[in-house]
């Protein structure tokens, strides 16, 4: 497969993901799902091909962009490192069955809960006090997207097609 350097989140629409040309078991990738998360944490090669089944909107997070932003935000860096370590352990446990599409959402949620447990405890404390919190966890990438978004106002980090895209630019 081709070297992967970003994770792609489906925001709208649907993709069809096939592990190989010979594979007859194509799987749908729907809003809320993503492909190639491993590219954020390890040197990763795509295990298949994704094709849009309909008009689709993807949000792409570059591994390089994440690496550039995280050191500036130590409050989330440790959590991301813990998540990455656990994610790599998961990949080793799967072995040859590794895929761009991870369908074990419960396992990913458990990894995120473990890595971000301090944030989850703080969030529960705020809920117990009756104050609505903006939610700092739920998906391990929510805070990273927020950080990247702020950083991208200064410097483009998302690539769309062949040109760099700057949020707020036409």
């Amino acid at each position: 497969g081709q070297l992967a350097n970003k994770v792609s989140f489906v925001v709208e629409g649907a993709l069809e993901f096939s592990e190989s040309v010979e594979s007859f078991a194509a799987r749908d990738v729907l809003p809320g799902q993503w492909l190639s998360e491993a590219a954020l944490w390890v040197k990763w090669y795509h295990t298949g091909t994704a094709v849009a089944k309909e008009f689709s909107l993807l949000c792409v997070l570059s591994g390089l962009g994440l690496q550039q932003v995280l050191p500036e935000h130590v409050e989330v860096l440790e959590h991301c490192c813990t998540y990455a370590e656990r994610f790599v352990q998961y990949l080793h446990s799967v072995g040859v069955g590794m895929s761009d599409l991870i369908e074990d959402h419960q396992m990913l949620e458990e990894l995120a809960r473990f890595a971000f447990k301090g944030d989850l405890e703080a969030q529960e404390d705020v809920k117990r006090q009756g104050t609505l919190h903006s939610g700092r966890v739920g998906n391990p990438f929510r805070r990273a997207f927020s950080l990247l978004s702020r950083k991208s106002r200064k410097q483009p980090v998302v690539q769309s097609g062949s040109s760099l895209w700057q949020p707020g630019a036409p």
Side-chain angles (χ1 to χ4, degrees), residues 150-169:
R150 280 184 259 144
K151 173 84 172 181
S152 67
R153 290 185 190 112
K154 301 174 193 165
Q155 154 185 28
V157 292
V158 179
Q159 188 169 2
S160 174
S162 60
S163 61
L164 289 177
W165 173 77
Q166 173 120 13

Side-chain angles (χ1 to χ4, degrees), residues 21-143:
V21 178
E22 300 84 29
S23 175
F24 294 103
R27 295 171 286 173
D28 288 341
V29 186
L30 303 171
Q33 292 181 295
W34 56 91
L35 292 169
S36 307
E37 177 184 348
L40 297 177
W41 316 119
V42 297
K43 187 171 185 178
W44 183 255
Y45 292 89
H46 289 293
T47 63
T49 304
V51 178
K53 293 177 70 171
E54 59 190 68
F55 177 81
S56 298
L57 176 63
L58 304 177
C59 182
V60 176
L61 177 60
S62 150
L64 179 59
L66 185 63
Q67 290 173 14
Q68 290 172 344
V69 169
L70 281 178
E72 297 175 17
H73 301 277
V74 293
E75 74 277 4
V76 74
L77 179 60
E78 182 180 346
H79 299 299
C80 287
C81 290
T82 300
Y83 181 86
E85 289 171 6
R86 294 293 176 128
F87 188 87
V88 170
Q89 289 173 0
Y90 164 75
L91 288 178
H92 285 289
S93 73
V94 173
V96 294
M98 294 184 281
S99 174
D100 283 318
L101 178 61
I102 298 175
E103 296 179 286
D104 188 350
H105 300 285
Q106 182 177 356
M107 181 278 309
L108 292 174
E109 183 67 26
E110 288 173 13
L111 287 178
R113 284 187 183 282
F114 178 83
F116 291 87
K117 64 183 174 231
D119 281 349
L120 286 171
E121 291 165 2
Q123 187 176 1
E124 288 302 315
D125 287 344
V126 170
K127 284 181 183 177
R128 280 192 292 274
Q129 294 171 4
T131 307
L132 181 61
H133 190 269
S134 62
R136 293 167 45 186
V137 178
N139 179 313
F141 306 106
R142 181 178 290 146
R143 293 197 64 210

